[in-house]
Amino acid sequence: NAGVTQTPKFQVLKTGQSMTLQCAQDMNHEYMSWYRQDPGMGLRLIHYSVGAGITDQGEVPNGYNVSRSTTEDFPLRLLSAAPSQTSVYFCASKRSPDNEQFFGPGTRLTVL
Amino acid sequence: DQQVKQNSPSLSVQEGRISILNCDYTNSMFDYFLWYKKYPAEGPTFLISISSIKDKNEDGRFTVFLNKSAKHLSLHIVPSQPGDSAVYFCAASAIQGAQKLVFGQGTRLTINP
C-alpha cells in the first residue's frame, strides 16, 4: 500500500492564480481531511469528507473548495490564491471507527 | 482562540533521560486526546492516545497522563532516544473516533547524545 499520497510536493503560485492539490489513498478509508500547518498555529482543519459525495467545512474553509467523487481521491482547490494561503498542506484519511488518522507527506505552497 | 495549547515551542533533553511534553486545553467538551509525532518533510504519525475515562495510557517507552480537572495532559518518553527528536503535536476531539481534531502548536523535541 502506498498509503496517503499528495502531489505536488512543492508549488509556487502568483496571487490570483488557481490550482488543485491532489490527495489519494489506497486504504479504502471512508474519512478524508485537509489540514494546513502554519508556524505557531499547529494543524488546522480546512475541509473534510465522511464518504464519496459528502463534504463539510472545517475550521478555516474560506478560499478553498473540495469535492469527493470517489473513495480514493480528495482534491483541494484554491480558487484565487492569496499570500495568506502560503502554508504546508496535509491530507489525511482514516477508517470511520478508528482514532488514528494517516497523513500524507504534505505539499509546501508559496503564494507570491 | 487556541483551544489546545502547547506552551513550550521547544525542549532539549539528554539521551537516556525522561522527556516530558505538556499540553493544556480549554474546551471541556473534549473527550479524547492524541499525540502525533512529525519528522521534517513528512506527515504527522500517530503515537498514542487517551480517553477521558482514563488518567494514564502506556505504550512501551511512551506514557500519556490526563488530568481532567486541570485540563492538562502530558506525554512522557522514557528513556529518550536520538530518534525521538521530532515535533510533537497534541490533539483533541469531542468523541473517540472523531474525524475533526483540534491540534496544539507543537513542541520541537531535541535529544542530545
Side-chain angles (χ1 to χ4, degrees):
Chain A
N1 285 351
V4 180
T5 57
Q6 292 182 239
T7 55
K9 281 189 170 51
F10 302 94
Q11 182 70 48
V12 179
L13 292 178
K14 294 181 180 178
T15 296
Q17 287 184 315
S18 62
M19 80 157 293
T20 299
L21 279 63
Q22 301 292 344
C23 173
Q25 52 93 7
D26 62 359
M27 298 174 281
N28 202 32
H29 287 170
E30 301 93 331
Y31 288 5
M32 296 186 75
S33 304
W34 276 102
Y35 292 86
R36 58 179 287 174
Q37 184 195 0
D38 301 294
M41 301 291 289
L43 284 84
R44 292 181 292 169
L45 183 64
I46 305 172
H47 284 286
Y48 64 100
S49 168
V50 299
I54 306 170
T55 64
D56 205 347
Q57 297 182 351
E59 184 185 352
V60 288
N62 292 340
Y64 307 95
N65 202 359
V66 292
S67 60
R68 182 110 179 261
S69 55
T70 67
T71 300
E72 294 78 19
D73 301 297
F74 192 41
L76 179 72
R77 297 183 188 84
L78 279 70
L79 309 172
S80 177
S84 61
Q85 293 178 305
T86 293
S87 188
V88 182
Y89 292 84
F90 291 100
C91 180
S93 75
K94 78 178 193 77
R95 287 195 324 130
S96 61
D98 293 348
N99 298 307
E100 180 180 357
Q101 294 200 28
F102 292 84
F103 284 82
T107 293
R108 184 175 293 274
L109 176 69
T110 301
V111 183
L112 302 175
Chain B
D1 177 33
Q2 193 83 22
Q3 296 185 69
V4 178
K5 298 181 185 179
Q6 295 176 256
N7 292 317
S8 298
S10 62
L11 177 67
S12 187
V13 174
Q14 197 168 2
E15 182 179 359
R17 306 294 289 267
I18 183 171
S19 295
I20 300 176
L21 295 95
N22 293 305
C23 178
D24 297 292
Y25 62 97
T26 58
N27 191 338
S28 57
M29 298 300 292
F30 288 145
D31 201 49
Y32 200 79
F33 304 89
L34 309 91
W35 285 92
Y36 280 81
K37 175 180 180 179
K38 184 184 179 305
Y39 292 119
E42 295 183 10
T45 55
F46 172 76
L47 193 56
I48 192 169
S49 63
I50 188 167
S51 165
S52 63
I53 61 173
K54 293 186 174 182
D55 55 16
K56 177 182 172 181
N57 188 28
E58 282 183 85
D59 185 2
R61 297 186 297 115
F62 303 91
T63 302
V64 56
F65 295 93
L66 175 62
N67 183 333
K68 278 197 74 177
S69 60
K71 293 191 177 68
H72 176 84
L73 61 155
S74 60
L75 174 68
H76 293 212
I77 306 174
V78 183
S80 300
Q81 299 175 354
D84 297 329
S85 294
V87 176
Y88 289 79
F89 290 99
C90 168
S93 66
I95 56 173
Q96 188 167 350
Q99 184 175 14
K100 295 174 72 172
L101 297 179
V102 179
F103 282 84
Q105 307 96 310
T107 296
R108 181 177 301 277
L109 175 65
T110 302
I111 307 301
N112 302 307

